[in-house]
Amino acid sequence: MAGYVTAYALLKAFLAELGETDQVAAFKNVHRRPPGNLAHNVPLLVVVRFGGTDDKLTIDRPRIQIDVFASTEDTAERLGEDVRAALRTKLPRYMHGGAVVGRVETLSAPQLLPWSASAVFRTSARYQLTVHQYAGIG
């Protein structure tokens, strides 16, 4: 086994594919941290792993935070809920780079939070994934 597929790589690929089918530009604009030109780059998503477990060699349970940045509060809230719906309904059974998602749990639903840039609004949510790492059938 070559190692775990990172939660960031898995979610970036999933969201990009979803953005193509659902025509949601923010799903294709995924980062590890807010870019310097944030106000001119919204809507966008920031995906960060903040913990999790790996109680079996082939099972990873990353805890992730997804922040949605947008130009209005309503857009940030709507996109936060769109992300939650996509993770809960379309991410299970998704395969990428030697991993398949088995389960998605919402730890904290999207909530509107203050952001220092006055023209940018943010929602933040936390999830736990159960990801089975596989090496293929030999």
Side-chain angles (χ1 to χ4, degrees), residues 1-137:
M1 185 158 102
Y4 294 117
V5 173
T6 69
Y8 176 79
L10 180 100
L11 288 169
K12 184 170 181 158
F14 168 74
L15 291 164
E17 288 178 24
L18 201 60
E20 294 296 326
T21 60
D22 291 358
Q23 300 299 310
V24 179
F27 289 177
K28 296 182 271 186
N29 196 2
V30 178
H31 302 265
R32 293 182 186 272
R33 68 187 68 78
N37 63 345
L38 181 62
H40 302 289
N41 203 13
V42 293
L44 65 88
L45 308 176
V46 173
V47 174
V48 177
R49 181 176 182 153
F50 67 89
T53 63
D54 61 351
D55 57 341
K56 294 183 181 179
L57 184 60
T58 59
I59 304 291
D60 189 21
R61 289 189 175 88
R63 290 185 170 204
I64 55 160
Q65 178 170 316
I66 299 180
D67 290 343
V68 175
F69 293 88
S71 58
T72 69
E73 290 177 325
D74 289 341
T75 302
E77 285 181 314
R78 180 181 50 77
L79 287 173
E81 290 298 340
D82 289 349
V83 169
R84 178 164 64 150
L87 294 183
R88 299 285 289 142
T89 63
K90 296 178 181 177
L91 185 57
R93 296 174 303 285
Y94 177 76
M95 292 183 281
H96 174 74
V100 62
V101 178
R103 183 175 179 180
V104 178
E105 300 170 73
T106 302
L107 301 175
S108 177
Q111 60 179 328
L112 195 61
L113 296 172
W115 186 251
S116 60
S118 61
V120 176
F121 299 90
R122 169 179 72 142
T123 58
S124 186
R126 290 183 167 200
Y127 305 91
Q128 180 170 291
L129 312 178
T130 300
V131 182
H132 176 79
Q133 309 289 327
Y134 64 91
I137 299 172

